[in-house]
Amino acid sequence: MSYDLIVIGTGPGGYVCAIRAAQLGLKVAVVEKRGTHGGTCLNVGCIPSKALLYASELFEEAGHKFGEMGIGVPAPKLDLPAMLAFKDRGVDGNVKGVEFLLKKNKVDVYMGAGKILGPGKVEVTLNADGKVEVLETKNIVIATGSDVAPLPGVAIDEERIVSSTGALKLPKVPGKLVVVGAGVIGLELGSVWRRLGAQVTVVEFLDRILPGMDSDVAKSFQRILDKQGFTFKLGTKVTGVDTKGKTLKVTVEPAAGGAAEVIEADVVLVAIGRIPYTAGLGLEEAGVAKDARGRVVTDHHFATNVPGIYAIGDVIVGPMLAHKAEDEGVALAEQLAGKAGHVNYDVIPGVVYTFPEVASVGKTEDELKAAGVAYKVGKFPFTANGRTKVNNTTDGFVKIIADAATDKVLGAHIIGPEAGEMIHECAVLMEFGGSSEDLARTCHAHPTRSEAVKEAAMAVEKRAIHM
Ligand code: FAD
Ligand code: NAI
């Protein structure tokens, strides 16, 4: 069989690339070894974690918040197997949706492990019967994603010492959960299990949470999480976990060196980042170059050093986010079809789906300071927003950063309920090169949380009305 394009991996990068290429008239096949489509995101990432975040948030609200609004309900009872089944149904629905879309767009599907034999040749070992087929194609896209970064000396068994994958299906709420890494996974999945009853201690190597996010945002957010009952051990590293007894004994010590301490845990979640996944892909034999961190090296058009072989998503440089992978998939498909596909890496939103949510797009103050760019900041707290006040969800703020000379918005950062939805008006504004004045002059419906975005933009010139 001969194709215009074979995509290896059907995560958000791969399946979106395949569908867009098929829409544009290319003859496309995908190769996926997992057994289901959707990659990390749909199977063990974005989608199951958001199902548990949603369910656990409602569980906590029913227990703590309904009463204050005059809704009398008996204390909620956790049925963990049912909550996990709710999550699994959501995953199944999404995965089947991708299967349907691939079929609808007449993309040929090979369920098996793909290996690149060289330009234009992909070998597939089929999951069903182990048979090997060699497919021919004009172009190959590597969309094989990423895997959990291991913590040296701490072996993940996915039962007591888990990665995010194990943390999405714990059969029992741990009494004590130690999370290694105060990044996105640690705080999201830490939130899930804290809401369901675990005592959560987060051990972070750096002296702050959420590295990469605006440090002002990270500091405020940590205070909110402290109030919720998280315990943080910052500037601390895990040096080992003793698994001998019934309770795990986690040895930690200051990152800068010093006396060790032991923390007890029922479960340890290792969430210290993810690494590109290219095992068994034949990159060395095919001569495809990788960088020192194992990422496939590409140019601005996603081309590797080998003609006809491209790469997108978590396996290449850039934020490991599903929407970044998807946009790269679309851009590359369009380029391969002779169009002008493109991704604006300056406007890729990032969201932490905790309560409240943390959302960010564009530059942080830290980045602008380091680059020597002069900027102005407008900040508006949710304590001054009518809607959040009446809902009693006032933690957080909106912060708009604009260029001091041109007023062009360079970054937007929000901590607040549904910040992940609100961030997109800032993203669209930035995509069009808008200014804080544009945002401030745009009429926002009342009473909405989004009025805080407008007020933060007004605050850039110190003219917010409600503070
Ligand atoms: P992947 O989704 O990793 O897909 C790669 C696919 O390639 C896999 O299905 C794999 O089986 C397949 N594959 C690999 N090698 C081969 C081979 N040789 N042959 C055939 N198939 C192969 N991002 C967000 O934007 N929002 C979120 O809320 C979010 N939540 C997350 C929560 C968790 C717990 C985790 C772990 C990640 C989360 N992410 C989130 C990150 C997101 O999942 C990734 O950025 C995204 O999945 C990357 O897409 P991808 O297509 O590059 O790779
Ligand atoms: P991360 O990179 O977000 O955070 C890892 C944290 O671990 C960092 O704070 C780092 O300083 C810390 N760390 C590293 N080594 C350590 C050590 N030895 N001891 C203690 N701390 C250590 O990685 P995370 O949370 O594992 O997530 C992986 C990827 O998945 C991220 O790149 C993220 O983009 C993506 N993801 C995105 C989500 C979203 O968009 N909502 C949700 C979950 C994951």
Side-chain angles (χ1 to χ4, degrees), residues 18 70 155 177 206 343:
L177 172 68
L206 301 175
V343 177

Side-chain angles (χ1 to χ4, degrees), residues 50 151 180-186 188 203-206 208 210-211 236-238 271-274 319-321 323 351-353:
K50 266 78 250 177
L151 178 59
V180 191
V184 199
I185 292 181
E188 286 188 356
V203 182
E204 165 62 48
F205 189 80
L206 301 175
R208 56 164 292 171
L210 290 177
T236 305
K237 63 181 176 194
V238 170
I272 60 165
R274 294 181 62 84
M320 288 181 163
L321 295 172
H323 41 285
V351 179
V352 189
Y353 296 86

Side-chain angles (χ1 to χ4, degrees), residues 376 400-402 406-410 425-426 428-444 450 453-461 463:
K376 313 173 273 188
I400 302 288
I401 309 177
T406 64
D407 192 36
K408 186 174 164 181
V409 173
L410 302 175
E425 70 164 305
C426 302
V428 172
L429 178 100
M430 289 170 67
E431 196 63 51
F432 283 84
S435 61
S436 79
E437 184 70 22
D438 291 326
L439 205 44
R441 283 181 181 275
T442 303
C443 186
H444 282 63
S450 298
V453 175
K454 176 188 167 95
E455 293 254 25
M458 292 172 84
V460 170
E461 294 300 340
R463 59 191 156 117

Side-chain angles (χ1 to χ4, degrees), residues 40-106:
T40 303
C41 179
L42 269 63
N43 291 281
V44 290
C46 329
I47 294 298
S49 60
K50 266 78 250 177
L52 290 183
L53 279 157
Y54 178 63
S56 62
E57 190 179 323
L58 293 185
F59 177 76
E60 184 164 61
E61 282 198 3
H64 295 102
K65 227 183 144 197
F66 279 19
E68 86 187 33
M69 294 187 284
I71 307 170
V73 288
K77 246 179 71 196
L78 177 65
D79 180 346
L80 186 57
M83 194 179 278
L84 296 179
F86 164 76
K87 171 210 63 172
D88 291 339
R89 281 196 302 277
V91 168
D92 195 48
N94 276 281
V95 161
K96 292 225 168 80
V98 174
E99 201 177 306
F100 163 78
L101 290 172
L102 289 170
K103 209 172 185 174
K104 180 182 154 204
N105 285 283
K106 302 192 172 43

